[in-house]
Amino acid sequence: VQFCVFVDTDSHQFIQWFFDDIEIISNTNNDLGLTRLAFPATLPYGETNLGVKVLNYGTDAITSVELSYQIDGQEPVAETFSVNIPYMTSDVLTFSTPVDLGLGQHDCVFKILEVNGSEGDDNDENNELELTLTVVHAIGERNVMIESFSSSTCGPCVANNEALHQL
């Protein structure tokens, strides 16, 4: 595998370079993967519909998916979804039955059981997602706060101060 990055500017402005989320995959025909939760891992107390984000890594379109989740080792809950997920496209699949979890932490495992009517898919490595859910009494509202310190003698600060005032 070769990887190339081309930058068309003065290189003296670059101090460090960082690359993130680079993935090299081998395509298969039928490969759906669980990528992440479709909701925050910290949930407010009460009923919640669980869901996951899936990505079609396979070259064939995904038309049906059977997913399950299991919380704290209890009986798994499974549901079949009719979808249309083309190659390298993601979708959010949300279970129709809400779950009412008690306060505290809960171990949760999501699994892909069937893809396009057949058990599993061509790559079992991305068919399971294990995580811990935390249920709290309430979630407070978050507000963004920006604090700026500058000086009138700082040349670049003037433009930044004007931009901050507009924001």
Side-chain angles (χ1 to χ4, degrees):
V1 174
Q2 292 184 348
F3 185 78
C4 176
V5 175
F6 179 78
V7 178
D8 188 15
T9 188
D10 294 331
S11 63
H12 74 276
Q13 297 175 355
F14 290 104
I15 297 171
Q16 295 177 340
W17 293 31
F18 298 94
F19 297 94
D20 192 13
D21 296 335
I22 296 173
E23 188 173 347
I24 299 169
I25 60 173
S26 176
N27 287 346
T28 59
N29 293 334
N30 198 19
D31 182 16
L32 185 70
L34 297 169
T35 58
R36 65 176 177 83
L37 285 175
F39 54 89
T42 301
L43 304 169
Y45 182 73
E47 288 190 343
T48 303
N49 289 74
L50 300 180
V52 289
K53 188 171 183 180
V54 296
L55 177 65
N56 182 6
Y57 293 101
T59 55
D60 294 345
I62 305 296
T63 57
S64 71
V65 180
E66 184 179 2
L67 294 177
S68 73
Y69 68 86
Q70 185 176 24
I71 298 175
D72 295 332
Q74 296 177 1
E75 187 70 27
V77 175
E79 186 172 335
T80 301
F81 299 88
S82 293
V83 294
N84 182 14
I85 308 173
Y87 171 64
M88 293 308 288
T89 304
S90 62
D91 198 1
V92 173
L93 305 179
T94 304
F95 289 85
S96 60
T97 305
V99 62
D100 193 0
L101 300 173
L103 295 173
Q105 293 188 331
H106 302 276
D107 294 324
C108 187
V109 179
F110 290 91
K111 290 183 182 178
I112 296 174
L113 303 176
E114 288 187 3
V115 177
N116 290 342
S118 60
E119 188 174 325
D121 60 18
D122 295 339
N123 179 12
D124 292 334
E125 293 179 13
N126 57 11
N127 289 356
E128 192 170 304
L129 181 63
E130 294 183 33
L131 48 95
T132 300
L133 301 176
T134 303
V135 178
V136 296
H137 280 288
I139 296 178
E141 182 180 336
R142 293 180 168 189
N143 293 315
V144 176
M145 184 174 97
I146 300 174
E147 187 172 0
S148 174
F149 296 94
S150 69
S151 168
S152 61
T153 60
C154 170
C157 295
V158 175
N160 290 336
N161 285 342
E162 291 175 5
L164 187 60
H165 286 298
Q166 291 176 3
L167 179 64

